[in-house]
Amino acid sequence: MSGEILDAARTTPLTGGPTFSLGNRMRRAIWAVTWRLLGTWTPVPLHGWRRFLLRLFGAQLAATARIYPGVSVWYPPHLTMAERATLGPGVICYCMAPVTLEPYALVSQRAHLCTGTHAIDDANFQLYAEPITLGARSWVAAEAFVGPGVTLEEGAVLGARGVATRDLEPWTVYAGNPARKLRQRQRPNG
């Protein structure tokens, strides 16, 4: 099975045992309280303030990255955003593994980037995580879902409420559940 098994030697998901270390859970708890009190509700123009908070907790963000109000980031050290990359209002970034947004990658409102899942055929229902990469100028439209291990290549589009469980080809438009290829996307001039 591909993906990073999380604390496999100590995990007992079926009996309620923790998957993550106490230190990891404490860092995430402090982050969640900080974000709820100081970040998630802030006015739209305060992208710099939200970048500051995310960086304080380990995110790697370009100076022009945009994070809108209502975004949920599970673990900031696993988030990397390049120039002009955007997480729109209400985006869920469930980054148990790294999530990378390359330049001009756009995630629209209430979309869900989910890097974690369970090994459904494992007797212990083991949790594992795989990274997500959104290529330059790719777009995840409103309320779409991108699953563990998926890469949207440069210029790929996942339409509104689409579900991507496999990589999306460059400069191609996809929609539906599961996402199906609809057509090629025109590349911008220059």
Side-chain angles (χ1 to χ4, degrees):
M1 171 178 296
S2 62
E4 175 190 351
I5 301 290
L6 304 174
D7 288 354
R10 299 179 305 147
T11 302
T12 53
L14 292 178
T15 59
T19 299
F20 297 92
S21 69
L22 179 60
N24 177 281
R25 290 177 294 168
M26 293 301 295
R27 286 187 298 276
R28 285 188 289 114
I30 293 167
W31 159 247
V33 169
T34 302
W35 188 244
R36 181 143 318 170
L37 291 175
L38 301 174
T40 192
W41 61 269
T42 56
V44 171
L46 296 182
H47 297 290
W49 173 248
R50 290 184 292 274
R51 277 193 306 269
F52 168 77
L53 290 174
L54 282 158
R55 284 182 185 134
L56 189 64
F57 282 83
Q60 301 295 311
L61 307 175
T64 56
R66 298 180 78 142
I67 298 92
Y68 279 80
V71 167
S72 173
V73 176
W74 191 79
Y75 189 59
H78 284 170
L79 178 62
T80 301
M81 295 175 67
E83 306 80 40
R84 304 287 181 197
T86 300
L87 293 176
V91 165
I92 297 170
C93 185
Y94 193 45
C95 48
M96 293 162 64
V99 170
T100 302
L101 281 73
E102 294 179 357
Y104 295 92
L106 171 61
V107 182
S108 289
Q109 64 272 20
R110 294 180 304 283
H112 193 147
L113 308 176
C114 180
T115 63
T117 189
H118 290 270
I120 61 172
D121 295 321
D122 182 292
N124 291 316
F125 198 56
Q126 188 62 53
L127 179 65
Y128 73 97
E130 295 182 305
I132 291 173
T133 301
L134 305 182
R137 298 188 182 272
S138 63
W139 177 30
V140 177
E143 298 183 354
F145 177 89
V146 178
V150 172
T151 295
L152 273 71
E153 298 291 343
E154 179 180 2
V157 173
L158 177 60
R161 295 197 171 177
V163 175
T165 58
R166 291 187 169 83
D167 293 351
L168 305 186
E169 296 173 10
W171 298 100
T172 305
V173 178
Y174 293 80
N177 179 7
R180 295 175 315 280
K181 186 188 308 187
L182 299 180
R183 67 176 180 85
Q184 291 301 119
R185 178 183 180 195
Q186 286 190 329
R187 295 174 191 243
N189 293 331

